[in-house]
Amino acid sequence: MEAIICQEAEWILSQQLASGAVVTAYPGQPKIVPYFAHLALYGLAAWGLNLPRVRAYLDWYLAHLERPDRYGVTGTVYDYYLDEGGMEVPAYSYDSSDSYAATFLTLVRLYYEAGGDTAWVEAHWPELEVVAGAVLATLQRDNLTLARPDWPVKYLMDNCEVYRGLKDYARLLAEVKGAGEAGRYEALADKVKRALETKMRLNGGYCPAVYRAGLRRRPNWRRWYPDALAQLFPIITGVLTPQGEAARRLYANFLRNYPHWYRQTQPENFITTLVVYTAALMEDRWRVRQYVAGLEENIIARGHPWPYHAAEAGILLLAIKAYLAGGAAYQ
């Protein structure tokens, strides 16, 4: 798999602009979606590859913080389009305030762990605190976050990423500043985790969303997005320990509903690399090998056709790392 690691790392870098931003090559107009950029660069940072290019993106993101944005949240970053001249034009919107900020904090910790760049972290504490504030801007009394101030839905995927981002920021604080400063974020992460278990856990899985007045949507395993895909996020983000019984039951339920997911590596039926990352964490080694072989033949060798994009490549690199480490999760 070494050749794939090098090839996909180079392909991710080919999607990076001189400004440091990472483009998601949607059909038609290219778009800068920070959330996808974070997932793309997870893979590089986890392998310690091209860290100056990862830092260039971190600098781009912090330089584009809104204070506040159109929704009244400070510390978010909009999506951007590229105009015909290659200029980055803000879309004045984003998919979520909680996940964008949380996944950025996870990327920062991965970057720091890979290279030990204490100087960069210490130089940017004020901005990082602002980003952490954006994670918490929509935190509700039940310790779950809304996706966005104008979109009052608490999503399973978002809140799993919030847990991970707060946990990572607490770890970063502990490693660079000392345990005292980390306690608040560690406690917040634990509260989000407990809320996920008490408010969103249902028999055999999790509800993908909680609406106003606590209305919970039961998961429909036959609906791929967001219902079925969301079920993997507690494993991906460490809310559940992959070796634990709860994670094994959840993954078994996923396999009952999607037993042949590893065959879906054609552009017309492509299934996200988040699934193969989950499989690697669960030590489902045969399916990982089958999926990666199909991906190499049908996607990578064919020039990365849509819907495969930079974020998929970044998560693939995480999956390969977990596979080679025998399922060891990033903690």
Side-chain angles (χ1 to χ4, degrees):
M1 294 184 178
E2 184 175 346
I4 297 177
I5 296 167
C6 296
Q7 186 171 354
E8 292 308 273
E10 286 301 315
W11 187 70
I12 292 169
L13 292 175
S14 75
Q15 310 303 301
Q16 188 173 30
L17 305 175
S19 67
V22 176
V23 171
T24 303
Y26 284 93
Q29 190 174 29
K31 191 175 181 181
I32 300 165
V33 180
Y35 175 79
F36 288 142
H38 303 161
L39 303 192
L41 297 175
Y42 279 3
L44 297 184
W47 282 98
L49 298 171
N50 300 100
L51 293 179
R53 299 282 291 274
V54 177
R55 184 175 64 244
Y57 172 77
L58 299 179
D59 290 337
W60 179 90
Y61 189 90
L62 293 181
H64 288 76
L65 296 179
E66 299 296 328
R67 301 171 184 263
D69 64 23
R70 60 174 289 194
Y71 306 105
V73 179
T74 294
T76 58
V77 175
Y78 292 133
D79 293 343
Y80 282 74
Y81 292 98
L82 296 181
D83 67 13
E84 293 180 356
M87 294 291 292
E88 298 172 7
V89 180
Y92 296 106
S93 187
Y94 44 73
D95 209 43
S96 63
S97 56
D98 54 358
S99 281
Y100 279 41
T103 52
F104 180 78
L105 294 178
T106 291
L107 177 60
V108 170
R109 189 200 158 196
L110 282 167
Y111 169 75
Y112 173 76
E113 294 288 346
D117 192 351
T118 304
W120 186 91
V121 174
E122 290 183 336
H124 292 288
W125 279 126
E127 296 105 312
L128 293 176
E129 278 290 302
V130 170
V131 175
V135 177
L136 300 172
T138 58
L139 187 69
Q140 304 298 292
R141 293 177 63 183
D142 62 0
N143 293 310
L144 296 172
T145 58
L146 304 176
R148 212 168 61 188
D150 69 325
W151 193 255
V153 181
K154 304 162 189 174
Y155 287 108
L156 173 61
M157 290 187 288
D158 292 44
N159 278 276
C160 287
E161 288 168 332
V162 165
Y163 163 77
R164 182 76 265 164
L166 293 174
K167 197 82 170 175
D168 286 331
Y169 190 51
R171 191 78 59 89
L172 186 69
L173 281 164
E175 292 174 0
V176 180
K177 281 194 167 187
E181 303 237 7
R184 174 175 177 247
Y185 292 100
E186 188 76 39
L188 286 166
D190 290 342
K191 288 180 179 179
V192 173
K193 182 177 180 177
R194 287 196 296 273
L196 284 163
E197 293 302 301
T198 58
K199 305 293 184 182
M200 303 192 86
R201 175 74 79 93
L202 295 171
N203 290 338
Y206 292 78
C207 61
V210 176
Y211 298 96
R212 292 180 183 273
L215 178 65
R216 302 194 299 173
R217 191 173 90 190
R218 299 187 65 83
N220 178 355
W221 283 91
R222 294 302 179 185
R223 183 188 295 118
W224 172 247
Y225 183 84
D227 297 49
L229 178 59
Q231 304 306 311
L232 304 180
F233 272 65
I235 299 172
I236 289 169
T237 58
V239 172
L240 297 179
T241 303
Q243 295 76 26
E245 180 61 27
R248 288 197 295 269
R249 288 199 304 268
L250 189 63
Y251 186 60
N253 205 357
F254 177 82
L255 290 180
R256 279 193 293 273
N257 287 278
Y258 297 92
H260 305 302
W261 65 264
Y262 58 90
R263 298 177 182 172
Q264 295 184 232
T265 57
Q266 297 279 353
E268 58 269 20
N269 72 349
F270 174 70
I271 197 166
T272 174
T273 54
L274 289 164
V275 183
V276 76
Y277 182 39
T278 306
L281 294 174
M282 298 302 298
E283 298 189 69
D284 188 355
R285 299 178 67 81
W286 182 82
R287 288 185 179 86
V288 171
R289 291 193 299 271
Q290 295 297 310
Y291 180 92
V292 172
L295 198 70
E296 188 172 20
E297 177 182 354
N298 300 315
I299 298 288
I300 296 173
R302 293 170 60 182
H304 306 88
W306 179 264
Y308 193 85
H309 53 78
E312 301 291 353
I315 298 299
L316 176 64
L317 293 182
L318 285 186
I320 293 173
K321 189 172 182 67
Y323 173 84
L324 295 176
Y330 167 64
Q331 297 294 334

